[in-house]
Amino acid sequence: QVQLQQWGAGLLKPSETLSLTCDVYGGSFSGYYWGWIRQSPGTGLEWIGEINHSGSTNYKSSLRSRVTMSIDTSKSQFSLKLTSVTAADTAIYFCARNKITLGRPWDSWGQGTLVTVSP
Amino acid sequence: DIQMTQSPSSLSASIGDRVTITCRTSQSIDTYLNWYQQKPGKAPNLLIYAASSLQSGVPSRFSGSGSGTDFTLTISSLQPEDFATYYCQQSYRSPRTFGHGTKVEIK
């Protein structure tokens, strides 16, 4: 049973860089994509992007200029960096596993990290 | 982007009721449609994938149907632990998009 445990700073000032990491326990990296999804009252659930075990990425186009995802299979973790944050980036951020099967579902999720951007 | 329209946005139901939630997409997505349940303060939890496949460990009172642009999540007999918000999500094309949710409340 895979478990995802995420961590990172929860309070940022505008223009700073959001940095989150997700540790993966009990699962293989191959056969899956690993991604980030955020949730805010105004926007709902928003897919940010995903990365596979080889480092191939797929980002939401509107965030592409600010997003970098990386993966380190030797440490069983993957990470998100989002630069130049604004108040609009305030949200709960989830890491999640995307199964490469019919439907491509997000079948395991981290516990979520509330990220607040405030001067 | 593929738009997801869920209805209703909220509903009130009693224990034992049959509940149906619909999701319509702005273009055909074959069966690349998934359903999630979310409770307050928790991450979403996968219920149904590929429109009609039950995720392991999910009670059989949950079922999904549909293909193309119209999809349905059904709870055959609502239980106390089912009061939550339900989301549909498509993985047919990037960006992956979610519906705005259906909140199921106690009548």
Side-chain angles (χ1 to χ4, degrees), chain B residues 72-88:
Chain B
T72 300
L73 173 70
T74 299
I75 310 172
S76 61
S77 178
L78 199 66
Q79 298 302 301
E81 59 269 31
D82 300 338
F83 292 97
T85 301
Y86 294 83
Y87 295 92
C88 58

Side-chain angles (χ1 to χ4, degrees), chain A residues 37 39 43-47 50 58 60-61 94 98 101-107 109-112, chain B residues 1 31-34 36 38 41-46 49-50 55 87 89 91 94-96 98 100:
Chain A
I37 294 158
Q39 184 174 32
T43 312
L45 287 161
E46 179 184 19
W47 173 82
E50 59 200 28
N58 183 19
K60 184 172 185 177
S61 58
F94 296 99
N98 184 256
T101 186
L102 289 174
R104 291 288 306 272
W106 298 94
D107 69 345
W109 296 64
Q111 77 277 20
Chain B
D1 298 2
T31 56
Y32 281 81
L33 191 285
N34 308 305
Y36 303 85
Q38 188 178 31
K42 300 293 187 182
N45 181 51
L46 177 66
Y49 64 96
Q55 171 69 354
Y87 295 92
Q89 177 256 324
S91 286
S94 292
R96 322 301 185 190
F98 292 81
H100 288 286

Side-chain angles (χ1 to χ4, degrees), chain B residues 11 13-20 61 63 72 74-78:
Chain B
L11 64 90
S14 300
I15 301 300
D17 282 355
R18 183 182 182 87
V19 169
T20 299
R61 62 181 180 273
S63 64
T72 300
T74 299
I75 310 172
S76 61
S77 178
L78 199 66

